[in-house]
Amino acid sequence: MADDIAELDEALRRQADTVRRLKQEKASPEEVAEQVAKLLELKAQLGTDEGKHKFVLKTPKGTRDYSPKQMAIREKVFDIIIGTFKRHGAEVIDTPVFELKETLTGKYGEDSKLIYDLKDQGGELLSLRYDLTVPFARYLAMNKITNIKRYHIAKVYRRDNPAMTRGRYREFYQCDFDIAGQFDPMIPDAECLKIVHEILSGLQIGDFVIKVNDRRILDGMFAVCGVPDSKFRTICSTVDKLDKATWEDVKSEMVGEKGLSPEAADRIGEYVQLHGGLGLIEQLLQDPKLSQNKLARDGLGDMKLLFEYLTLFGIADKISFDLSLARGLDYYTGVIYEAILLQPQNAHKEELGSVGSVAGGGRYDGLVGMFDPKGRKVPCVGVSIGIERIFSILEQKVEASEEKIRTTETQVLVAAAQKKLLEERLKLISELWDSGIKAEMLYKKNPKLLNQLQYCEDNGIPLVAIIGEQELKDGVVKLRVVATREEVDVRRENLIEEIKRRTCHP
Amino acid sequence: MADDIAELDEALRRQADTVRRLKQEKASPEEVAEQVAKLLELKAQLGTDEGKHKFVLKTPKGTRDYSPKQMAIREKVFDIIIGTFKRHGAEVIDTPVFELKETLTGKYGEDSKLIYDLKDQGGELLSLRYDLTVPFARYLAMNKITNIKRYHIAKVYRRDNPAMTRGRYREFYQCDFDIAGQFDPMIPDAECLKIVHEILSGLQIGDFVIKVNDRRILDGMFAVCGVPDSKFRTICSTVDKLDKATWEDVKSEMVGEKGLSPEAADRIGEYVQLHGGLGLIEQLLQDPKLSQNKLARDGLGDMKLLFEYLTLFGIADKISFDLSLARGLDYYTGVIYEAILLQPQNAHKEELGSVGSVAGGGRYDGLVGMFDPKGRKVPCVGVSIGIERIFSILEQKVEASEEKIRTTETQVLVAAAQKKLLEERLKLISELWDSGIKAEMLYKKNPKLLNQLQYCEDNGIPLVAIIGEQELKDGVVKLRVVATREEVDVRRENLIEEIKRRTCHP
């Protein structure tokens, strides 16, 4: 509804611009009259009149504000994710929210249409970043870095169809960890999966599985199934839809839209149903067709190595080698993976795929070379945690539990027992702030004591430092514990130490 | 230079579009030929040919990446700023990077031309946020919040002329703290100044002064100097240039561009030279002209109260009541302020104003009402810390001191003394990660011990956990202290405890 108004509103503004332009350009009276009629019609639809413009009070479609409570949840999630990245020795970088448009061109395949462009206001043509991977590759090439392990947490932008209740937004956070450099096979790749496992376990959002596959296995499979080379990428995009669509729909897209023979599609259909572990890898290494293809053999050999390392990390039981996993993006060249949250037993199967994906990534050995003037390659592998869905889940959890989340860290409220003590409160709170104590006071000259105590109850502030005429005379402050209503007189010179002692384990 | 190429590049692309369009529209051969000639000329300038597009490897004009070292500095600055905000009991919110275009319209006066618009790709018209204050006001009105103390740290966007060495960017961070609500006069306003004082002291970036003024005093001054009401805002914008321009230039803009009488300008000129403390306030309260104006009297009365509170906070010596301070933005309604870094004695005077501003803010009681359908007002006062300049100063400081900044927190490197120990290293590092130890290993099957030790030296990693055939047999790990080269055998089951003990004060 709000969107309808915004769009109507927008149409109104554009029509008004048209009329203005026609007048400036001294168009024929008939032409102006026709456009004015359209304008009046739009105004009637909106129910506005000239003088009173109906203002739309909202955030842009597909975006949201974070309230203090949501921020408190967000900070907890970030702490776990950043803690994991740092535990693995990662540095951190940041890049601008927009890039030169050409930096993003040709990196995202069919998804490029979802990129937000900036208006041409003179100067360079710019687009909002679509992910953090392409800016990372641009950063490596620009600074001639061939070896780095970094994380990057920032918002990215996609003009997709939002589904906000399921955590799909047009502006959303990505938490990326990537390892760039020439290393021995599958060691950094295995660490990326270990990181996903640590983060998802640490967040305690339920059971999960991490699907893995390899673009070389997919390409080998396409080759032996009779897909022409030129159609590898586009057929790959279609396979990627298997998590949301049935095989029949996917096959019909392959044959109908993409022009693949039904026989080739059926051969693909047999492979993409397979998923398993080391046993499946061994089986496919013996597969009479697939084992003849070098790409597939290389991919399967590395997949075997990967499973050995994951077994040493103790996480192989959460990993599923799944031939239907394709990943949408163009730039992957080797292993790819996607972590899926598993629903509790009673959930509908068809929701599983679309609700559950919370992390994904893979190897992209060619992307940096696309930016290097001499095409020098820097092999990379990485993972991106899609935390909006995780936020949604945790927010619902908090709502359901009615757990009270504090949104401030205030340790003490500076309160007055009588009137005319504003100056004394200002002096005391200033001392507390200067000693590093987190303190608040009410912004009233003469607040009632009851209101000050109520403020502590409402905001979870554990202590109140009360001053009155008598306390000032005695050189003490009355320290009240909000939870127990216990009160003690503390000598002014000992107050800071006493507050620190009482709040060191908040 | 890079910008020139980008712009030429852009012109080339546009010209190519023009040619394509003309061909599609079946324009006359002469017209096409003319445009093709222009295209070829541009190509010659760029030195490219059709097949090989010269790729520009850069971030957009006025923006920059943050390297791991810069991020380490940035995190330290943020820690101090966020620590201060939390010490004052602030909650935190976040808003989208873009807003509906109409949300920003009419809020920034002459600076509105600097707003970045997004391209119209259908749907709503959007602009990148220009500051965090307008989104905050929109958030309050949208959620009907009448009482909040919040901070917000995020990037904002201005299509200004960048001066990157002086920390002026097109994409830059703002760190905002605001108090919204109906309170007794000057109490929250004084707290905002206390916060600026705490942050600038905490950052240890040299001496500073905080200039304060009041829009009501300015408006009163304009009135008694004979400025017509309709010109208050535009003359205010001109006064705001006094920190960068001489009085002669400012006067000439007032008289020439803004059509003010030279006599009125001269009368303003006398006032705006004044600055001082409580004494100046008292003097102006007695000023025969100014004291006749109600706005000025109200502003001066509140200014006096503010200085009393700042004296109680012990920070009045850093505050200068300065009648030349105007602030560019339209939305201020009361007290305004700006913090200036003071240069060491030998700096040029003219650089002082333009280099030095690191924080600013004020009271804006009308802004939320502009968003409320019924115009309900929520009084607000806040401050914005402009940290890019602070980054620049701290970066230069670090460069000059040759201090080595660690960009990771890794506590221990898991190393092998001989070949064929990859599996053992993977098992050990996995145990360390699972126990919360920050650990790395080289991504090589058989790294040389010397290379592993060198990696620790290069990256400031304090400990090495070395495994070899003998250690495995004995059930121990050799723990080496990188700084002292001391080595001890630690039983495998005690290793985690031992590492924690040795790194608890990093």
Side-chain angles (χ1 to χ4, degrees), chain B residues 247-496:
Chain B
W247 167 248
E248 283 67 37
D249 291 340
V250 166
K251 181 183 167 183
S252 120
E253 181 175 315
M254 285 181 180
V255 176
E257 284 178 46
K258 310 270 166 108
L260 197 66
S261 74
E263 297 73 30
D266 285 333
R267 283 192 287 267
I268 293 173
E270 277 170 40
Y271 281 114
V272 295
Q273 285 171 30
L274 303 173
H275 54 92
L278 262 176
L280 177 60
I281 300 170
E282 299 288 2
Q283 177 195 321
L284 290 175
L285 276 168
Q286 306 303 322
D287 183 279
K289 283 181 293 174
L290 215 50
S291 62
Q292 298 308 307
N293 181 286
K294 183 173 184 316
L295 275 175
R297 270 202 321 273
D298 287 351
L300 287 165
D302 276 350
M303 188 60 71
K304 196 175 159 188
L305 200 56
L306 180 67
F307 265 83
E308 285 168 19
Y309 295 161
L310 297 176
T311 304
L312 291 165
F313 283 160
I315 60 169
D317 59 317
K318 294 280 186 214
I319 316 286
S320 167
F321 170 42
D322 188 324
L323 279 116
S324 75
L325 179 71
R327 307 275 304 151
L329 301 175
D330 263 12
Y331 49 62
Y332 291 118
T333 55
V335 65
I336 48 178
Y337 32 81
E338 197 164 294
I340 313 282
L341 286 187
L342 297 174
Q343 310 281 49
Q345 52 290 356
N346 58 349
H348 297 288
K349 200 193 170 305
E350 70 265 29
E351 284 178 6
L352 209 142
S354 56
V355 181
S357 170
V358 288
R363 178 161 282 283
Y364 49 101
D365 289 347
L367 190 58
V368 179
M370 290 174 73
F371 291 105
D372 189 278
K374 292 183 184 158
R376 280 167 297 210
K377 288 189 174 181
V378 178
C380 293
V381 64
V383 63
S384 180
I385 313 288
I387 52 172
E388 303 300 335
R389 283 172 183 176
I390 295 169
F391 287 156
S392 295
I393 293 166
L394 290 176
E395 268 181 60
Q396 284 161 21
K397 236 180 164 179
V398 167
E399 288 298 324
S401 76
E402 291 176 28
E403 180 194 345
K404 209 171 168 179
I405 290 191
R406 277 198 77 181
T407 54
T408 68
E409 299 176 7
T410 309
Q411 298 164 309
V412 59
L413 185 85
V414 173
Q418 295 104 21
K419 290 188 174 181
K420 297 195 181 167
L421 290 169
L422 175 61
E423 280 79 5
E424 291 298 336
R425 280 192 292 144
L426 290 172
K427 262 200 321 214
L428 178 58
I429 200 168
S430 185
E431 281 172 36
L432 297 182
W433 286 330
D434 292 343
S435 306
I437 305 279
K438 294 168 187 150
E440 285 185 74
M441 55 176 273
L442 297 200
Y443 300 126
K444 293 260 166 206
K445 272 183 95 153
N446 298 308
K448 291 193 177 118
L449 185 57
L450 204 65
N451 291 347
Q452 297 173 85
L453 297 179
Q454 188 60 46
Y455 185 84
C456 293
E457 297 275 3
D458 294 345
N459 294 281
I461 300 173
L463 297 173
V464 199
I466 306 170
I467 37 182
E469 304 290 357
Q470 193 57 48
E471 284 78 12
L472 286 171
K473 231 176 266 168
D474 297 347
V476 297
V477 171
K478 202 177 280 304
L479 198 61
R480 179 185 169 110
V481 181
V482 176
T484 61
R485 301 182 179 186
E486 167 208 351
E487 291 185 349
V488 281
D489 282 353
V490 179
R491 291 216 55 80
R492 180 82 172 230
E493 59 271 26
N494 301 333
L495 180 65
I496 284 154

Side-chain angles (χ1 to χ4, degrees), chain A residues 278-327:
Chain A
L278 262 176
L280 176 60
I281 300 170
E282 298 288 0
Q283 177 196 322
L284 290 176
L285 276 168
Q286 307 302 323
D287 182 278
K289 283 182 293 172
L290 214 50
S291 62
Q292 298 308 305
N293 181 285
K294 182 170 184 319
L295 274 175
R297 270 201 321 272
D298 288 351
L300 287 165
D302 276 349
M303 189 59 71
K304 195 174 161 190
L305 199 57
L306 180 67
F307 265 83
E308 284 168 20
Y309 295 160
L310 298 176
T311 305
L312 290 165
F313 283 160
I315 60 168
D317 59 318
K318 294 280 185 210
I319 316 285
S320 167
F321 170 42
D322 188 324
L323 280 116
S324 74
L325 179 72
R327 307 274 304 151

Side-chain angles (χ1 to χ4, degrees), chain B residues 13-55:
Chain B
R13 177 142 342 100
R14 268 185 253 191
Q15 189 59 25
D17 283 345
T18 305
V19 171
R20 212 170 297 127
R21 210 193 54 236
L22 287 173
K23 284 181 182 169
Q24 278 171 359
E25 291 170 354
K26 306 203 190 307
S28 71
E30 296 77 33
E31 209 176 333
V32 173
E34 187 188 329
Q35 298 299 329
V36 166
K38 274 194 198 165
L39 180 62
L40 291 174
E41 197 182 312
L42 280 166
K43 279 189 182 169
Q45 279 182 46
L46 250 174
T48 62
D49 52 79
E50 195 76 51
K52 211 177 147 196
H53 172 64
K54 199 164 186 177
F55 191 81

Side-chain angles (χ1 to χ4, degrees), chain B residues 153-166:
Chain B
I153 296 184
K155 289 175 178 172
V156 301
Y157 299 87
R158 301 184 184 180
R159 295 180 58 255
D160 212 338
N161 248 345
M164 322 236 292
T165 49
R166 293 192 295 169

Side-chain angles (χ1 to χ4, degrees), chain A residues 94-108:
Chain A
D94 194 18
T95 65
V97 78
F98 42 62
E99 296 278 343
L100 297 185
K101 186 174 164 59
E102 63 179 343
T103 299
L104 306 190
T105 303
K107 310 298 187 303
Y108 299 110

